[in-house]
Amino acid sequence: MVVVVGGVGKVSAALATQFLHDAFKPRCIVAIGLAGELRAEHSRGHVVVASSAVQHDIDARPLTPARGVIPSLGVAEINADAALAEKLLVAAKRAVENPRIVRSGLVLTGDQIVTSKAVRDTIARDFPEGLCVDMETAAVAQVAQQNGLPWGAVRVTSDKADESFDLEEVIDFGVNTAGELFARIIGDAVTDL
C-alpha cells in the first residue's frame, strides 16, 4: 500500500493519481477525505462510499448536453469499481458503531469549499442524487478511468456545507475523528484486496 497526500482540489488530486499510476502501477486507488453534507437532516460524521462521482462545476455547454458532462469522455458520472466499492462499504459499516450512518452513492466534486446554503442547495438541485460535496473524488475518478485503474472513494462529512462552516472545527474533526475512522476502514478493506 502506498499513501499519498495529494493536496486540495481537482488539479492536485489528478496530479497525485497520475503520479501513483505511473510510479507504482497499483491494482487500485482509493481516495479518502472530508466532505460537505448535502442533506440538512444529516450531521457530521456520516460516511459516504462513492458509487460514482461527478464534477459539479464543469459546464462545457454547448459542447456538451448538460452541466457536469466531461467533453472528452461524453459522460458526467464516472462509476467506481463495483467490487472495490462493495469492499469499502462493508469495511465502513464494520468500522462504525451505527452502520446506518454509512451510505453509498454519488459524490459531487468541485473546486470550492461550499460554505453557503444557497450554493449547496443549487448543487443539490442540479445533481439530486448527490450525497456530499468534496474537492477531489471526481478528479481521481477521471484519471483512474482514463488509465484503466479501478478506483473507489470514502468521504466522511465534516460540515453542512453552509454558513455554519468553521475551518478550525473541520480540521479538528479531520485530525481527531475522521483520520482514525479512515485508518480502520482502509485497514479492513485492504485485508480483502
Side-chain angles (χ1 to χ4, degrees), residues 10 53-61 63-78 106-110 123 126-127 138 142:
K10 294 190 299 185
V54 167
Q55 293 182 53
H56 69 76
D57 62 349
I58 190 169
D59 193 345
R61 294 175 292 185
L63 293 175
T64 61
R67 187 170 166 205
V69 175
I70 302 166
S72 61
L73 299 179
V75 299
E77 278 191 52
I78 300 173
L106 177 63
V107 174
L108 304 175
T109 300
I123 294 168
D126 290 345
F127 300 94
Q142 182 176 346

Side-chain angles (χ1 to χ4, degrees), residues 7 68 117 142 188:
K117 182 182 182 306
Q142 182 176 346
D188 189 4

Side-chain angles (χ1 to χ4, degrees), residues 77-149:
E77 278 191 52
I78 300 173
N79 292 324
D81 179 78
L84 179 56
E86 181 61 26
K87 287 178 185 180
L88 291 168
L89 185 62
V90 169
K93 287 181 177 182
R94 287 195 290 233
V96 298
E97 286 184 30
N98 179 3
R100 290 184 303 227
I101 68 167
V102 178
R103 300 171 285 158
S104 176
L106 177 63
V107 174
L108 304 175
T109 300
D111 270 326
Q112 67 184 113
I113 295 175
V114 178
T115 60
S116 159
K117 182 182 182 306
V119 172
R120 179 197 69 203
D121 292 350
T122 297
I123 294 168
R125 185 189 68 241
D126 290 345
F127 300 94
E129 301 300 315
L131 296 182
C132 65
V133 287
D134 78 345
M135 296 179 68
E136 296 83 24
T137 299
V140 170
Q142 182 176 346
V143 173
Q145 178 175 309
Q146 291 188 265
N147 282 287
L149 180 62

